[in-house]
């Protein structure tokens, strides 16, 4: 999240992108609005400066928020020109993700004023002081914890076989993976695994693999590699395939994101 233009592409922001297993934080100054898009992650969006972030759903007007949760697979556009913002992504199949999704339901969910004041202050300070990656990640995970903390587990736990399948898939996604191989690893028939995976995660197997490959590519780009190098790191055929996938899931060109 940029100012100015790069290669004729309008900027969408400048900042830092940090990933961990099951989540990420994108923090920085936003510029151009996104197109409509959707992705697999739950998105926690926080206005870190004095302004608002704005979201739009199809056939609706723009709505302003200070803090808002966008559920997984929710089609939306986003705009926060000139504002310091944090986008925190959480995998919906994680315990935290399932808890957040159950508590906040479908559609955009505005968070009450003051709910995350301490966590937002910590994020602003960490960003201003250019804190180490580990510290900024810890701040982001504190936000997730604040929204998902409870003595109770979410009402619907992820099926253990799918939980294991995701772990195996994450370990193998850097190489060629097939549905049959992952199904075999968790002792299910391919057809049973196909249906159970969709039922438990809300996404089909192949699009989920694509989502994980996109994560690998983004991590490579965030680490300082070129978009072409990032595309290969994620197993994409070329940078064009990576860029198309990125735009579909985030609503902007990958080249419009500038690292801080």
């Amino acid at each position: 999240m940029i100012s100015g233009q790069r290669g004729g592409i309008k900027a969408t922001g400048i900042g830092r992108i940090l990933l961990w297993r099951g989540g990420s934080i994108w923090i920085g100054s936003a510029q151009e609005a996104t197109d409509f898009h959707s992705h697999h992650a739950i998105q926690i969006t926080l206005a870190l400066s004095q302004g608002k972030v704005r979201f739009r759903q199809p056939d609706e007007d723009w709505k302003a928020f200070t803090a808002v949760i966008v559920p997984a697979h929710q089609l939306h556009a986003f705009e926060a020109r000139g504002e310091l913002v944090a986008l925190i992504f959480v995998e919906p199949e994680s315990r935290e993700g399932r808890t957040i999704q159950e508590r906040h339901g479908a559609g955009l969910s505005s968070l009450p004023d003051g709910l995350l004041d301490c966590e937002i202050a910590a994020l602003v300070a960490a960003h201003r002081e250019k804190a180490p990656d580990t510290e900024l990640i810890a701040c982001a995970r504190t936000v997730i914890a604040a929204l998902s903390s409870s003595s109770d587990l979410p009402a619907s736990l992820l099926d253990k076989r799918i939980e294991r399948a995701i772990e195996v898939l994450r370990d193998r996604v850097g190489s060629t993976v097939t549905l049959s191989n992952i199904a075999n690893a968790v002792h299910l028939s391919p057809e049973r695994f196909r249906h159970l995976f969709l039922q438990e995660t809300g996404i089909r197997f192949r699009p989920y693999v694509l989502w994980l490959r996109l994560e690998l590519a983004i991590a490579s780009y965030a680490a300082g590699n070129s978009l072409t190098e990032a595309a290969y790191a994620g197993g994409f055929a070329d940078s064009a395939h990576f860029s198309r996938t990125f735009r579909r899931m985030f609503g902007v060109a990958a080249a419009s994101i500038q690292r801080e």
Side-chain angles (χ1 to χ4, degrees), residues 20-246:
W20 61 90
R21 195 156 192 162
S24 64
I25 177 171
W26 305 39
I27 183 170
S29 175
Q31 295 297 329
E32 294 295 321
T34 73
D35 296 328
F36 282 114
H37 62 283
S38 66
H39 43 67
H40 181 58
I42 298 165
Q43 178 180 323
I44 305 161
T45 305
L46 307 174
L48 303 183
S49 44
Q50 297 302 310
K52 302 275 189 178
V53 297
R54 299 201 307 154
F55 282 85
R56 185 183 175 196
Q57 298 179 87
D59 302 319
E60 293 186 7
D61 293 331
W62 288 97
K63 296 179 181 178
F65 303 90
T66 300
V68 61
I69 294 176
V70 183
H73 307 291
Q74 174 68 57
L75 191 64
H76 65 281
F78 167 73
E79 189 271 324
R81 286 181 178 87
E83 299 294 337
L84 179 63
V85 299
L87 279 59
I88 301 172
F89 296 98
V90 188
E91 296 298 324
E93 55 274 352
S94 66
R95 186 195 67 79
E96 295 88 348
R98 290 174 85 83
T99 302
I100 291 170
Q101 195 106 315
E102 285 180 7
R103 286 181 178 173
H104 296 279
L108 303 182
S109 179
S110 180
L111 297 174
D113 290 343
L115 178 65
L116 296 171
D117 281 356
C118 292
E119 291 80 6
I120 288 174
L123 277 170
V124 171
H127 177 266
R128 184 186 300 120
E129 296 164 10
K130 301 187 185 300
D133 291 354
T134 53
E135 183 177 332
L136 197 49
I137 287 172
C139 289
R141 300 191 76 164
T142 298
V143 171
I144 296 169
L147 294 173
S148 63
S149 61
S150 171
S151 58
D152 299 322
L153 291 172
S156 57
L157 294 175
L158 189 67
D159 186 287
K160 291 295 183 184
R161 294 164 294 182
I162 299 304
E163 187 176 279
R164 173 60 182 157
I166 289 172
E167 287 300 310
V168 173
L169 183 53
R170 282 186 173 276
D171 289 338
R172 298 183 185 178
V173 74
S175 57
T176 302
V177 292
T178 66
L179 182 147
S180 294
N181 287 342
I182 303 301
N184 184 62
V186 295
H187 311 294
L188 289 171
S189 69
E191 193 60 24
R192 175 58 180 148
F193 175 73
R194 186 193 315 276
H195 288 292
L196 187 61
F197 191 89
L198 176 59
Q199 174 185 307
E200 289 292 303
T201 66
I203 187 173
R204 298 189 309 277
F205 179 78
R206 293 312 306 176
Y208 186 76
V209 173
L210 185 64
W211 172 252
L212 293 186
R213 292 195 185 284
L214 184 63
E215 282 188 348
L216 288 179
I218 292 170
S220 175
Y221 179 65
N225 294 314
S226 68
L227 289 174
T228 298
E229 291 167 331
Y232 292 144
F236 291 92
D238 50 37
S239 60
H241 184 203
F242 167 49
S243 296
R244 287 194 302 273
T245 303
F246 190 98

